[in-house]
Amino acid sequence: MTDRPHRRAVVGGMAAAGTFFPAWNPAIARTPERPMIVSPVVELRQYTLHPGKRDVLIDLFEREFVEGQESVGMTLIGQFRDLDDPDRFVWLRGFPDMEARRLALEAFYFGPVWQGNRDTANPTMIDSDNVLLLKPLDEASGFTPGERGPRGASGPGAGRIIAGVHALKGSDDPLPERFRREAVPVLRDVGAASLAVLVTDGSANTFPRLPVREGEPVLAWFAAFVDPMAADSIHHVFTEQSIQRLRLEPTARSRLHG
């Protein structure tokens, strides 16, 4: 398991998420009371923070940046503490398409919410450029979010998220279909309440002030568990071409949780 090297902190400050389309496939997830949402464009963002600053950033993020980003056309999918790295903050946001992404990011990062808080957010960060631009494997492979905690909620959210990132050898790599065929049934059997499967979106970055990792085709998946012990039991499930495995604790306001 390897991680990207540290990069610079947010340009002039940065931080947001998209519009989703209903879909449902009970073969993928087990919670029909939660409708599946599929965002055509998804960012997986992993921030390396200065020691002891993660909760400082999370408190600010959940107080100011959730509604602030969604008010300009993005949807926050989930925010997480990395259980194996106390200085890593992980979050997901989605967009309807790349042009909508550009417009939403311009509106947020040049707007009053970010401009008024960037001098507090940026000093918490060492690196904010570890970003994968992703798309759902298909319309049945989106996220199944729950309710968001109220403004002012703090501490951990419910359950646990396990995520995997796997290198692909090109657009015709059979690994995504192998994952769906071999790993999805195993994850469901051990208690995954929902499961999202994504691959790299090779579109040009429409907002270059926020870099993304380019030339790295990957498969990325996210399994939500109500029971943390069940989540921890899948550490060795589907390790082919693995470059990262994440154990994530949802924040109090994450919509993606167990």
Side-chain angles (χ1 to χ4, degrees):
M1 184 171 71
T2 60
D3 290 335
R4 297 277 296 181
H6 290 174
R7 302 166 187 77
R8 59 183 175 76
V10 179
V11 179
M14 305 277 172
T19 300
F20 296 88
F21 303 102
W24 174 248
N25 183 346
I28 297 288
R30 302 170 78 182
T31 53
E33 69 276 10
R34 297 182 186 179
M36 181 176 289
I37 54 175
V38 179
S39 179
V41 179
V42 174
E43 290 180 355
L44 167 59
R45 309 188 65 86
Q46 302 184 55
Y47 290 2
T48 299
L49 307 178
H50 290 284
K53 296 298 183 181
R54 183 165 68 182
D55 282 348
V56 174
L57 179 60
I58 288 174
D59 288 348
L60 174 64
F61 192 102
E62 303 216 316
R63 184 177 69 247
E64 302 292 343
F65 297 157
V66 173
E67 286 80 5
Q69 293 180 79
E70 293 191 331
S71 69
V72 294
M74 302 179 273
T75 304
L76 265 67
I77 300 167
Q79 305 87 249
F80 316 97
R81 295 174 176 89
D82 186 331
L83 291 171
D84 297 311
D85 184 345
D87 301 320
R88 178 181 285 153
F89 172 55
V90 180
W91 61 292
L92 292 155
R93 64 182 173 190
F95 307 84
D97 55 50
M98 292 301 289
E99 177 61 11
R101 175 179 178 269
R102 180 185 70 81
L103 294 172
L105 294 179
E106 286 180 352
F108 180 72
Y109 290 115
F110 300 136
V113 174
W114 177 255
Q115 294 296 317
N117 290 281
R118 67 181 186 179
D119 289 344
T120 303
N122 275 337
T124 68
M125 305 177 197
I126 295 172
D127 159 46
S128 63
D129 291 352
N130 185 353
V131 180
L132 288 170
L133 192 62
L134 304 168
K135 61 184 179 181
L137 184 59
D138 56 36
E139 290 187 356
S141 300
F143 292 93
T144 309
E147 294 297 318
R148 174 176 292 144
R151 210 166 193 163
S154 60
R160 184 162 298 172
I161 309 298
I162 303 297
V165 181
H166 304 255
L168 295 180
K169 298 173 183 177
S171 58
D172 59 349
D173 192 318
L175 194 71
E177 287 304 323
R178 280 191 55 210
F179 176 84
R180 179 150 53 186
R181 184 175 65 251
E182 299 173 14
V184 166
V186 174
L187 293 170
R188 291 183 61 226
D189 285 346
V190 297
S194 67
L195 181 63
V197 185
L198 304 98
V199 293
T200 294
D201 186 329
S203 302
N205 184 1
T206 53
F207 194 73
R209 290 179 66 120
L210 283 183
V212 300
R213 290 161 57 175
E214 298 179 338
E216 298 182 46
V218 302
L219 163 72
W221 55 270
F222 303 83
F225 291 83
V226 174
D227 181 1
M229 292 184 65
D232 288 343
S233 73
I234 68 162
H235 183 71
H236 298 295
V237 171
F238 204 81
T239 59
E240 286 85 347
Q241 298 167 220
S242 177
I243 56 177
Q244 188 176 32
R245 183 66 59 93
L246 294 165
R247 295 189 315 127
L248 304 174
E249 178 185 79
T251 66
R253 303 201 69 205
S254 176
R255 288 195 64 201
L256 185 61
H257 52 70

